[in-house]
Amino acid sequence: MSLSNQIHMRAPVITCFLVFYIHFTFAQEGKKDPARYLGEEQPGLSPKVFAPAVVSAQNRYEYGSTFSPDGKEFFYAVNVGNKPEILIVKFDNNAWTKPAKLISHEQYGYNDPFLSPDSKRLFFISDRPLGGKGPKKDIDIWYI
């Protein structure tokens, strides 16, 4: 079978998938589920402040965030006193917890958390020296 025929045979399958995906995406837009997206509306095409009652705070810069695969933990970085640290909120007892410090230090910064696909490691970047003590250094990738 020629490549041209293979492409033509796959086109209806790809088209059906795209139609389903677009329909499902727009059908879900605007719906709220307290266990997903911190009770916020599912992301759509318009930008909005994310979880102002839990994550986004006035006069604070939040960035570098990731959800656990089950959507029940949310890790993100904040800039506190010009020093980044990583916070976590969890969905527990049918509600989201208040943000808690996960990784913080009086001298070194930690930010841009990212979970491994199996959720066994939380990767992040830091200016902490490899020995754990001494002056700040360049940025390295770490994990816990």
Side-chain angles (χ1 to χ4, degrees), residues 100-111:
K101 287 183 185 180
L102 183 65
I103 307 173
S104 181
H105 192 275
E106 64 275 356
Q107 183 177 357
Y108 311 116
Y110 301 94
N111 59 34

Side-chain angles (χ1 to χ4, degrees), residues 30-96:
K31 291 187 178 181
K32 288 188 176 185
D33 176 354
R36 292 191 53 148
Y37 302 113
L38 285 95
E40 297 291 303
E41 290 181 1
Q42 184 167 335
L45 299 176
S46 301
K48 295 180 183 178
V49 174
F50 181 68
V54 180
V55 173
S56 298
Q58 290 285 349
N59 303 316
R60 185 176 74 184
Y61 181 60
E62 300 92 7
Y63 57 97
S65 60
T66 187
F67 278 98
S68 61
D70 66 3
K72 302 212 176 192
E73 294 178 319
F74 182 68
F75 305 86
Y76 64 105
V78 297
N79 207 347
V80 177
N82 212 18
K83 184 183 62 59
E85 57 190 27
I86 297 175
L87 305 182
I88 183 174
V89 292
K90 296 180 180 184
F91 191 72
D92 189 32
N93 292 325
N94 214 27
W96 287 94

Side-chain angles (χ1 to χ4, degrees), residues 123-126 139-143:
F123 290 87
F124 55 93
I125 60 173
S126 177
I139 302 293
D140 287 314
I141 300 172
W142 297 69
Y143 71 87

